[in-house]
Amino acid sequence: GVTNVKMIPDGSALFTKGMNMLVKKDDLGFGERSWRYSMYVVDKEIKKVFSEEGFGDNCPTDPFAVSDVDTIIKYLKESAKNE
């Protein structure tokens, strides 16, 4: 039942660089990667960013606690109640 959701690939990391979300994962053998985050965007305006803790070069962990779909759904449901 999900509508109006668009996954956007970023193969060249241009968007990631522009968002300042590029991190080095050389310690894991990956080079530069996108930090784990998700966003709620309406008409090209970023309404909310859900970024994992520990952002920085060579972060030893790969957290996945707040950029997940459940967090966004919870946020959207709470936002709808407040409108």
Side-chain angles (χ1 to χ4, degrees), residues 2-81:
V2 177
T3 60
N4 299 319
V5 172
K6 186 172 186 176
M7 303 295 282
I8 304 171
D10 187 26
S12 298
L14 296 175
F15 183 80
T16 301
K17 288 176 188 174
M19 289 292 296
N20 197 29
M21 290 297 228
L22 198 61
V23 295
K24 293 180 182 177
K25 289 289 193 172
D26 297 325
D27 58 328
L28 300 174
F30 295 130
E32 292 185 316
R33 308 292 277 189
S34 175
W35 187 244
R36 213 183 279 267
Y37 68 98
S38 57
M39 295 187 300
Y40 171 50
V41 181
V42 176
D43 294 328
K44 300 179 186 176
E45 179 183 344
I46 298 170
K47 299 290 187 176
K48 179 79 174 167
V49 176
F50 303 91
S51 180
E52 298 295 338
E53 292 290 324
F55 178 78
D57 290 347
N58 289 315
C59 179
T61 62
D62 194 13
F64 188 53
V66 300
S67 62
D68 62 314
V69 68
D70 292 332
T71 300
I72 291 179
I73 289 172
K74 180 180 175 186
Y75 172 80
L76 293 173
K77 286 180 179 179
E78 290 174 1
S79 295
K81 288 179 187 176

